[in-house]
Amino acid sequence: MNRSLCLSLLALLALSPATRAADLLVSNVNGYTLDGSGKLQHFQALLVDQGKVVATGTSADLSQRAGNARVVDGHGQTLLPGLIDAHGHVLELGYARNSVDLSSTTSLDEALAKVKAYAAAHPEAKWIRGGGWNQEIWKLGRFPTARELDTVVSDRPVWLSRIDGHAGWANSAAIKLAGVTKASKDPSGGRIERDANGNPDGVFVDGAGDLVNAVIPALTTQDKVAALDTALAEMASVGLTGVSDAGIDLESYQLYRQYADAHKLTARIYAMIRDTGDDFDAISKDGPLIGYGNDFLTVRAVKLFADGALGSRGAAMLKPYSDDPRNSGLLFLPPATMTAKIEKAFGKGYQVGIHAIGDRANREVLDSFAAAYKTHPDARALRNRVEHAQIVSLQDIPRFVNLQLIASMQPTHATSDMNMAEHRIGHDRIKGAYAWQRFLKQGTVIAGGSDFPVESPNPFYGLYSAVTREDHQGKPPGGWYPQQDLTLTEALRAFTLDAAYAEHAEKTLGTLEPGKWADFILVDHDVMKDPSSKLWNTRVLQTWVGGRQVYAARE
């Protein structure tokens, strides 16, 4: 072989890996990603092969490396890593969208009109179901009643969950079917709201809702498939490429596996098994499921509940509510029971995330983690989480560091609750509420989420709330307790790299670094440079998961 031919072959071999190692080039973009250390990087093009990032860089450089790759022109639009919601409820989002949705109602009359219209449009429905109501938004000053529901639907039972999922509103037909009377006792971890004569008044808080749920017909497989399809479509439309589903049962687990096997998942699901009962035993019999179906499904966590919610005064507080001195909320489990559940999950190698809203609930959770670590010291490495960490005593916040706990927090809760939170708990306790900077400055990882459908699944609402602590009308000007707000880079990290970290997935998700999955979105403006007031109104143009487009906005 002559020298010139040999050199030519060597040159070809040197070029061929880069030439072959790409099947997609997204060029002409205004790209941003964090790197592994959380620093913001800027690029013009993204090179992808077999669903994973090969490189980011300039359009000119990557075009030379792209070979025969398919080229997508980004037309100068802003490209971001796919956003990850660290705490949502996927099927519940679908159920909410496919039933009576009261989340946008601003008055009791408007809500009643929606229920009436839905019932009229669905004469075949044996039960009228839905949710999203919030008496605080309605400025009702009380809970709604069964009698008010009866005025619009009296021929069939009605059951409507509160926006936070921690209370339900029933009409008289539903209460009768549930067999709840004046003589019925409040169940452990629940409360039946009553009228002046002690009769059930229509609202069932936390565990009391099980009295009604027990007589509601089970959802069909068709209902569940429709809910998952609806939820996945909405998630893709708002730029979510991953979600931690905070509390699944066995049937949901089986449905997710079916979708993963059929390549029908359009977002990566990190599922947390609800509690450590029979469903946990069935799902965990072969141990955690990690990276199933090209990393579309992971089930390696358990979700437990310590208390209720602030809006329904079910959050467990160390002292009574400022606006209800006879009430300190509801603690769901005795400390020994909570610790035993944590230990059971640890024993099978599962991460634990615990819902804790009130300061008492958070303290009990911290105590239970500390106790469980005594028998399972290696379980600290599981990256255990407190879901919400919403109101935490100032003396307890540093304990998150010692216990190596992640704070899984939802920025939109602050802007949704600011109309009532301080009334509920007073000026002193509010200092430990929605306290994002207090956690960040001590080194605690914050995983950003929404708790949808309690809040909108749109992650740009969360980014906006995190950065401004204002509502969508810009109130209060300058933000509500703005010393706790995040920079946009910090907020972006919470919804990308740190949300991935909370799922043990920071090496494969969360940034657009070489070797990670090419999960990304294109949006309609430069979110990193434009005024923060525009954040919540950001429009997602395209969503890609693993180098495959799963959503395109209509023009």
Side-chain angles (χ1 to χ4, degrees):
M1 184 180 293
N2 64 46
R3 184 172 183 273
S4 61
L5 179 59
C6 181
L7 290 173
S8 297
L9 287 172
L10 288 172
L12 181 61
L13 288 171
L15 286 172
S16 59
T19 302
R20 290 200 310 266
D23 54 33
L24 174 68
L25 172 66
V26 185
S27 65
N28 187 25
V29 296
N30 174 40
Y32 295 99
T33 184
L34 301 177
D35 62 18
S37 65
K39 292 183 179 179
L40 193 66
Q41 307 293 321
H42 187 256
F43 58 90
Q44 298 174 337
L46 173 69
L47 196 60
V48 177
D49 184 63
Q50 297 182 52
K52 292 189 175 182
V53 175
V54 174
T56 56
T58 67
S59 292
D61 288 345
L62 295 192
S63 292
Q64 291 182 348
R65 297 178 57 182
N68 295 322
R70 174 192 175 196
V71 179
V72 173
D73 187 343
H75 300 289
Q77 299 289 357
T78 294
L79 186 151
L80 301 170
L83 298 169
I84 302 170
D85 191 311
H87 185 115
H89 302 276
V90 178
L91 268 75
E92 285 78 1
L93 175 64
Y95 298 142
R97 297 297 184 257
N98 295 341
S99 61
V100 184
D101 186 358
L102 303 179
S103 59
S104 64
T105 59
T106 58
S107 69
L108 174 62
D109 287 343
E110 185 183 353
L112 292 173
K114 276 203 165 190
V115 174
K116 182 177 182 179
Y118 184 92
H122 296 83
E124 78 291 349
K126 295 181 179 179
W127 278 72
I128 303 301
R129 299 184 61 186
W133 58 271
N134 186 346
Q135 82 282 3
E136 295 295 332
I137 296 295
W138 298 344
K139 302 188 185 308
L140 205 57
R142 58 172 175 82
F143 281 128
T145 68
R147 294 183 299 279
E148 287 160 337
L149 265 184
D150 293 344
T151 64
V152 292
V153 181
S154 59
D155 61 329
R156 288 169 282 174
V158 180
W159 180 240
L160 307 166
S161 63
R162 193 180 184 278
I163 185 68
D164 53 22
H166 287 271
W169 177 23
N171 70 348
S172 295
I175 295 172
K176 183 176 180 180
L177 279 173
V180 181
T181 67
K182 181 177 182 178
S184 299
K185 304 294 185 182
D186 287 353
S188 176
R191 183 176 68 249
I192 302 168
E193 293 294 322
R194 303 173 188 271
D195 63 18
N197 296 317
N199 296 302
D201 207 21
V203 168
F204 297 75
V205 178
D206 287 313
D210 293 342
L211 300 171
V212 181
N213 286 323
V215 298
I216 297 176
L219 293 164
T220 66
T221 299
Q222 184 179 359
D223 292 331
K224 294 173 183 178
V225 168
L228 184 51
D229 288 341
T230 296
L232 289 172
E234 183 167 349
M235 285 154 50
S237 74
V238 295
L240 287 176
T241 59
V243 172
S244 286
D245 193 339
I248 67 162
D249 59 14
L250 179 59
E251 291 184 355
S252 299
Y253 168 77
Q254 293 168 337
L255 184 59
Y256 276 143
R257 286 197 64 145
Q258 292 169 15
Y259 267 58
D261 289 338
H263 309 289
K264 291 174 65 176
L265 288 176
T266 53
R268 303 187 190 280
I269 303 298
Y270 183 85
M272 308 169 75
I273 305 165
R274 186 184 178 107
D275 216 322
T276 54
D278 292 343
D279 285 1
F280 173 76
D281 292 339
I283 295 170
S284 67
K285 66 181 187 299
D286 296 321
L289 182 73
I290 299 174
Y292 188 78
N294 276 338
D295 285 340
F296 269 93
L297 178 62
T298 291
V299 187
R300 64 178 301 176
V302 166
K303 169 77 176 301
L304 302 174
F305 290 82
D307 68 342
L310 189 65
S312 53
R313 296 188 186 87
M317 304 301 299
L318 293 168
K319 295 181 180 180
Y321 281 88
S322 299
D323 61 352
D324 188 0
R326 296 173 296 178
N327 180 16
S328 297
L330 299 165
L331 196 65
F332 287 179
L333 299 171
T337 303
M338 177 65 79
T339 301
K341 289 177 180 289
I342 295 171
E343 290 177 341
K344 180 176 180 178
F346 284 173
K348 297 282 284 188
Y350 283 77
Q351 176 196 55
V352 174
I354 307 180
H355 167 114
I357 300 286
D359 53 9
R360 182 184 177 195
N362 275 279
R363 180 168 295 177
E364 294 281 4
V365 165
L366 296 172
D367 290 345
S368 288
F369 272 124
Y373 286 156
K374 291 179 180 177
T375 54
H376 294 82
D378 294 340
R380 292 173 183 266
L382 292 172
R383 302 181 186 177
N384 301 299
R385 307 159 45 150
V386 179
E387 304 299 320
H388 309 305
Q390 197 162 313
I391 305 159
V392 187
S393 169
L394 293 180
Q395 68 188 79
D396 286 331
I397 290 177
R399 298 179 65 194
F400 278 70
V401 177
N402 298 330
L403 296 170
Q404 297 179 24
L405 296 173
I406 292 168
S408 174
M409 304 175 87
Q410 300 74 44
T412 45
H413 281 346
T415 49
S416 293
D417 292 353
M418 63 185 179
N419 65 326
M420 58 86 181
E422 195 160 351
H423 295 292
R424 288 281 192 274
I425 63 175
H427 179 71
D428 290 335
R429 286 184 289 188
I430 206 73
K431 295 173 185 177
Y434 320 93
W436 311 322
Q437 279 298 338
R438 291 187 189 276
F439 283 98
L440 268 192
K441 287 176 180 176
Q442 68 180 15
T444 297
V445 170
I446 292 180
S450 67
D451 200 14
F452 69 73
V454 174
E455 306 280 1
S456 167
N458 189 332
F460 290 96
Y461 286 15
L463 293 171
Y464 172 82
S465 292
V467 171
T468 69
R469 293 176 74 103
E470 297 174 350
D471 66 18
H472 292 178
Q473 288 72 48
K475 296 178 181 178
W480 182 63
Y481 289 96
Q483 64 272 24
Q484 295 301 323
D485 63 21
L486 303 180
T487 68
L488 183 51
T489 299
E490 289 169 340
L492 182 63
R493 176 168 182 156
F495 281 88
T496 54
L497 184 59
D498 285 348
Y501 178 87
E503 300 177 356
H504 295 264
E506 76 281 3
K507 292 182 179 178
T508 55
L509 303 175
T511 67
L512 296 172
E513 297 175 280
K516 292 190 175 185
W517 287 109
D519 299 350
F520 62 91
I521 60 176
L522 290 167
V523 299
D524 65 345
H525 71 106
D526 190 335
V527 297
M528 303 307 296
K529 291 184 178 177
D530 287 346
S532 57
S533 59
K534 293 185 64 176
L535 263 175
W536 72 270
N537 211 24
T538 299
R539 181 170 177 251
V540 174
L541 304 175
Q542 297 180 29
T543 301
W544 295 67
V545 181
R548 177 171 69 96
Q549 188 172 4
V550 298
Y551 171 76
R554 294 180 181 178
E555 295 186 3

